[in-house]
Amino acid sequence: MRVLVVEDERRIADDLAGALGRAGYVVETSADGEDAWFRGETEAFDAIVLDLGLPRMDGLSVLRKWRAAGVATPVLALTARSAWMERVEGIDAGADDYLGKPFHMPELIARVGALTRRTGGYVAPVMEVGGLRIDVQRLQATAEGRELALTPLEFRALRYLAHHRGRVVPQTELSEHVYGADREPGSNALEVLIARLRKKAGAEVVKTRRGFGYVVEG
Ligand code: CA
């Protein structure tokens, strides 16, 4: 799961990136509206945390431009606590949820989790697919009731595939959502990771479509 954090206050951006990273997300950050608008439109994210007060282009304009261009990524808008008009405008502009500043980090993590679950058609914090149960709050997974001792990267890969169950996910896409776009994991790192994941979860759970990618059947 890949999240874009758009926040110009460095300290808040760092806190957000740290907390979301510990919650199992790959986090990219952007500190101004124009950069955020470009990246949101050209890169694939599973959720975006968008501060509305931004330099170069304000958050509401960014959001309106994304929606006008058909960008459907779920957006959690960060608003000033007292500015109820801003919240209304944010939702009108296409925000899926909002949170007033200052906020409690666990609440933000819970809301981002709810947004990403919803886009995968899951409403509970535990994803069940085939014999798999993936608890995205406790970062634990079981297969046929057996707990899988997964590394954070293996968990990310399994969660992404389960989120997109039934769809063959290309290697490049999975790599981007496991390692992040800017990090170069090495040419066969993903194959090695998937091989370990298949060994732990079962080869019948994570299937390889040679030359195409990987799939968890729904
Ligand atoms: Ca701001």
Side-chain angles (χ1 to χ4, degrees), residues 73-118:
T73 312
V75 169
L76 172 67
L78 299 180
T79 67
R81 174 70 76 187
S82 55
W84 66 270
M85 257 323 281
E86 207 177 55
R87 298 202 290 269
V88 173
E89 286 172 343
I91 288 166
D92 278 349
D96 300 86
D97 197 3
Y98 65 83
L99 195 55
K101 278 176 162 180
F103 52 84
H104 294 289
M105 201 56 83
E107 183 175 4
L108 180 129
I109 300 292
R111 286 176 182 272
V112 170
L115 284 183
T116 55
R117 285 200 300 277
R118 230 173 286 155

Side-chain angles (χ1 to χ4, degrees), residues 4 14 59 69 73 88 90 92-93 100 125 146 155 188:
L4 177 65
D14 287 349
T73 312
V88 173
D92 278 349
R146 172 175 55 89
F155 187 86
N188 65 347

Side-chain angles (χ1 to χ4, degrees), residues 7-9 51 53-54 101:
E7 170 60 78
D8 56 314
E9 280 178 64
D51 181 32
L54 292 171
K101 278 176 162 180

Side-chain angles (χ1 to χ4, degrees), residues 202-213:
E204 69 291 349
V205 174
V206 179
K207 292 183 179 141
T208 303
R209 296 275 184 273
R210 209 153 283 289
F212 294 100

Side-chain angles (χ1 to χ4, degrees), residues 7-211:
E7 170 60 78
D8 56 314
E9 280 178 64
R10 183 65 191 272
R11 189 183 53 79
I12 299 178
D14 287 349
D15 285 354
L16 280 166
L20 285 163
R22 285 189 295 280
Y25 297 95
V26 172
V27 185
E28 312 286 340
T29 56
S30 178
D32 76 70
E34 265 179 36
D35 175 68
W37 163 71
F38 178 76
R39 296 186 61 185
E41 192 162 310
T42 55
E43 296 178 38
F45 294 100
D46 300 291
I48 299 174
V49 177
L50 178 69
D51 181 32
L52 293 186
L54 292 171
R56 299 187 72 194
M57 190 191 303
D58 69 89
L60 279 178
S61 302
V62 173
L63 187 50
R64 286 198 189 99
K65 286 184 75 160
W66 280 338
R67 295 311 190 221
V71 174
T73 312
V75 169
L76 172 67
L78 299 180
T79 67
R81 174 70 76 187
S82 55
W84 66 270
M85 257 323 281
E86 207 177 55
R87 298 202 290 269
V88 173
E89 286 172 343
I91 288 166
D92 278 349
D96 300 86
D97 197 3
Y98 65 83
L99 195 55
K101 278 176 162 180
F103 52 84
H104 294 289
M105 201 56 83
E107 183 175 4
L108 180 129
I109 300 292
R111 286 176 182 272
V112 170
L115 284 183
T116 55
R117 285 200 300 277
R118 230 173 286 155
T119 59
Y122 293 102
V123 289
V126 178
M127 294 196 257
E128 293 195 44
V129 46
L132 279 176
R133 274 176 63 89
I134 301 170
D135 186 328
V136 299
Q137 282 175 337
R138 297 170 61 208
L139 303 179
Q140 283 175 342
T142 59
E144 309 295 349
R146 172 175 55 89
E147 180 148 352
L148 306 175
L150 302 180
T151 65
L153 289 178
E154 290 163 3
F155 187 86
R156 270 186 203 165
L158 185 63
R159 176 185 185 176
Y160 192 79
L161 291 171
H163 188 82
H164 295 280
R165 62 199 179 283
R167 174 164 80 81
V168 178
V169 176
Q171 285 198 344
T172 47
E173 179 184 334
L174 186 60
S175 177
E176 210 175 285
H177 287 264
V178 170
Y179 301 105
D182 308 328
R183 289 167 282 280
E184 182 48 66
S187 59
N188 65 347
L190 186 68
E191 282 174 43
V192 173
L193 184 140
I194 291 292
R196 285 201 313 263
L197 185 57
R198 281 163 58 84
K199 204 176 245 178
K200 291 179 184 178
E204 69 291 349
V205 174
V206 179
K207 292 183 179 141
T208 303
R209 296 275 184 273
R210 209 153 283 289

